[in-house]
Amino acid sequence: MRFLRRSLVGIFLLSVTFALLAYAANTVRGAVETRLNAEPRSFPQRERVFAVNVVTLTPETLNPVLNVFGELRSTRTLDLRSASGGTIIQASPALTEGGTVEQGDLLFEVDPTAAQAALDRSGADLQDAEAELRDAERGLALAQDELLAAEAQADLRRQALTRAEDLQGRGVGTAAAVETAELAASAADAAVLSRRQSLAQAEARIDQSTTRLARTRIDLAEAERAVADTTVMAPFDGTLADVVVSPGGRVAPNERIATLMDPDRLEVAFRVSTSQYARLLEDGVLPNLPVKVSLDVSGVDLSATGRITREGGAVAEGQTGRLLFAALDAAPGFRPGDFVTVSVDEPALAGVALVPATAVAADQTVLVVDEGDRLQSHEVRLLRRQGNDVIITVGDLAGQRIVAERSPLLGAGIGVRPIDPSAATAEPAAPEMVTLDDERRAKLVEFVTASRMPDEAKQRVISQLEQPEVPAETVSRIESRMGS
């Protein structure tokens, strides 16, 4: 009996267990079906609003600045060369790289021995030529006297011939006497002709002597110039560069010794593109626009000003654009050869605005914030780039706010929350000040002294309370802690 009872109890418990498992499975199946057949819940979507920095477009007149690179040059540069060759026997202490000289200073001297000898020979030749000319002049005077004597003798012979012919005509003279007189007259005429020939030779000798004297004087002048060329003087004040000689060295004729430059007369040569050059023109002529030259040397910015003076006459082979030159005013610290930054003030542009470069897209459009704080795309004209900023035309967008920093998330129709950085940087309003009577001031000081504040904070607050006027916010905060 006990076995049967226990068997029936076990079968009953097993049946109850299977029934509970079936109920549990049916409950899980119903919950899954209900979940699968239920409609998905929808949550209300909220529009995403982006915070953007904006700038207000205000039309104004701006002078764009053209920034290019250029090289400094000296407008007075001279190559110092030796006109004569030889050994350098004397040199100035300033004949070194970077040496400073003044006009008229002796730079160096070449051994003048050979040139001085040539000068002495030319002097001796000049004395010979002068003596020859004097001798020729004396010979001319003698030739003239001889001609006069011969002419007088010829006159006498002709008179004698006339008498002989007269006597023969009267029957007194003979034919032989007349023939003798004719022969004597003919000989006298021949003597006159000979003296005239001697006079012509004396005059020719004078001409030759004069020509020789002139040639000798030319040789003497050349010799004097050769002696003077043995010394080289500074033609103007300046600084020496590229010095290649020293005392005791030898130089060849026309060899370059050094370069003399005037550091106070500088100009900058810079190249601009053809489009930039066209923007600088006024009525087809390049005006004398102002320029600024700067050089950053170890954090120290050297700068100078000047004006454009001329442009290159032709475009060099392999180059483009235009080469411009600007004469500088006082430029302390600059030297020829410096590579500098040149800023040129272009002609003014009216009705434009300067905005960050990030505000303009590649298609030259900007995002305008309308009255409903939504973005609208508008096209503008990009005129110039100025570093991180650009100059654009304003037109109908005057007074409108545009997005200063565009991003791929922004576009037309998107709602934004505009932030004006200029308003954020405005100076805060001055705090409200109150005047305390002695009793009220004493209570506040006593409370602060007895409080658990750090000593440094106590001193700062007490110093404020001792002033004639105390910030109202500080008084209110202390009194609130006092409970009054």
Side-chain angles (χ1 to χ4, degrees):
M1 284 298 291
R2 181 181 300 176
F3 173 75
L4 182 59
R5 185 172 61 253
R6 291 179 176 177
S7 299
L8 292 176
V9 171
I11 293 173
F12 175 75
L13 294 176
L14 183 61
S15 300
V16 171
T17 301
F18 278 116
L20 291 174
L21 289 176
Y23 178 75
N26 183 55
T27 302
V28 171
R29 183 182 61 80
V32 172
E33 291 179 355
T34 302
R35 178 64 176 174
L36 294 176
N37 294 330
E39 295 182 0
R41 292 183 297 172
S42 61
F43 299 94
Q45 298 293 328
R46 185 176 61 181
E47 181 181 7
R48 186 176 181 184
V49 178
F50 297 91
V52 294
N53 293 328
V54 297
V55 293
T56 303
L57 294 181
T58 303
E60 55 184 338
T61 301
L62 300 176
N63 284 89
V65 179
L66 174 63
N67 292 319
V68 293
F69 296 101
E71 182 181 2
L72 291 186
R73 301 177 179 178
S74 176
T75 57
R76 296 181 66 184
T77 302
L78 177 65
D79 285 343
L80 299 178
R81 298 179 181 272
S82 174
S84 60
T87 304
I88 295 180
I89 61 175
Q90 182 180 359
S92 170
L95 189 62
T96 56
E97 186 71 24
T100 302
V101 297
E102 296 181 356
Q103 183 178 2
D105 288 350
L106 174 65
L107 298 180
F108 62 90
E109 180 182 2
V110 179
D111 187 2
T113 302
Q116 186 63 45
L119 176 61
D120 295 339
R121 285 193 296 270
S122 296
D125 293 340
L126 178 62
Q127 294 177 358
D128 290 341
E130 291 175 345
E132 176 66 21
L133 179 60
R134 289 192 299 269
D135 187 45
E137 291 174 348
R138 288 192 295 268
L140 177 62
L142 293 175
Q144 291 174 347
D145 294 340
E146 290 177 351
L147 177 61
L148 293 175
E151 289 177 346
Q153 185 71 23
D155 291 339
L156 294 175
R157 294 297 182 183
R158 282 191 292 270
Q159 292 176 5
L161 176 61
T162 302
R163 282 194 307 269
E165 290 176 348
D166 183 58
L167 291 174
Q168 184 182 11
R170 288 184 296 175
V172 178
T174 61
V178 173
E179 184 178 355
T180 301
E182 289 178 350
L183 291 175
S186 177
D189 291 337
V192 170
L193 181 61
S194 177
R195 294 297 179 265
R196 287 179 178 175
Q197 185 176 3
S198 299
L199 178 61
Q201 292 177 352
E203 291 175 348
R205 183 182 176 188
I206 288 289
D207 295 337
Q208 293 176 355
S209 299
T210 304
T211 303
R212 180 184 176 187
L213 178 62
R215 188 181 297 109
T216 306
R217 287 175 176 172
I218 293 174
D219 294 340
L220 179 63
E222 291 181 351
E224 291 176 346
R225 186 168 55 253
V227 173
D229 288 341
T230 58
T231 59
V232 177
M233 317 295 286
F236 55 85
D237 299 349
T239 303
L240 296 174
D242 302 332
V243 180
V244 296
V245 298
S246 60
R250 291 190 59 85
V251 293
N254 202 35
E255 180 181 354
R256 186 174 66 84
I257 306 302
T259 302
L260 180 62
M261 297 178 294
D262 189 347
D264 297 328
R265 298 179 60 177
L266 298 178
E267 68 176 7
V268 58
F270 57 97
R271 187 173 296 276
V272 297
S273 65
T274 306
S275 60
Q276 292 172 339
Y277 171 78
R279 294 200 300 262
L280 297 178
L281 297 179
E282 291 183 2
D283 298 330
V285 179
L286 181 66
N288 295 332
L289 295 174
V291 301
K292 180 181 179 182
V293 176
S294 59
L295 176 64
D296 188 4
V297 182
S298 301
V300 179
D301 190 12
L302 299 178
S303 61
T305 58
R307 285 189 173 274
I308 296 177
T309 56
R310 66 188 191 280
E311 59 182 295
V315 180
E317 183 178 357
Q319 299 289 340
T320 59
R322 300 292 184 270
L323 183 64
L324 306 183
F325 300 89
L328 300 184
D329 302 330
F334 288 95
R335 289 293 181 270
D338 283 340
F339 193 67
V340 296
T341 302
V342 183
S343 301
V344 184
D345 293 335
E346 299 184 18
L349 299 176
V352 297
L354 182 67
V355 299
T358 54
V360 183
D363 57 353
Q364 297 191 9
T365 59
V366 295
L367 295 177
V368 180
V369 181
D370 59 14
E371 296 180 355
D373 290 343
R374 291 192 177 276
L375 300 180
Q376 301 292 334
S377 179
H378 286 269
E379 185 176 354
V380 295
R381 183 184 175 190
L382 178 62
L383 300 179
R384 302 285 192 278
R385 293 190 178 274
Q386 304 286 286
N388 295 328
D389 299 326
V390 293
I391 298 178
I392 61 174
T393 56
V394 176
D396 298 336
L397 299 179
Q400 298 288 333
R401 298 174 300 172
I402 65 172
V403 176
E405 300 174 358
R406 299 186 57 154
S407 70
L409 301 177
L410 301 179
I414 294 179
V416 294
R417 179 168 56 87
I419 300 175
D420 191 352
S422 60
T425 57
E427 294 183 359
E432 182 182 357
M433 308 297 288
V434 296
T435 304
L436 303 177
D437 54 22
D438 295 339
E439 183 179 357
R440 188 179 181 188
R441 190 190 308 274
K443 290 182 179 180
L444 295 175
V445 172
E446 182 180 358
F447 176 77
V448 172
T449 304
S451 65
R452 297 181 179 180
M453 297 172 58
D455 294 339
E456 183 179 354
K458 285 182 181 180
Q459 294 296 332
R460 184 173 63 255
V461 175
I462 291 175
S463 63
Q464 291 182 354
L465 295 175
E466 290 177 349
Q467 300 296 325
E469 292 185 349
V470 184
E473 183 182 359
T474 302
V475 175
S476 300
R477 185 170 63 252
I478 298 176
E479 289 181 345
S480 64
R481 295 181 180 179
M482 294 172 59
S484 56

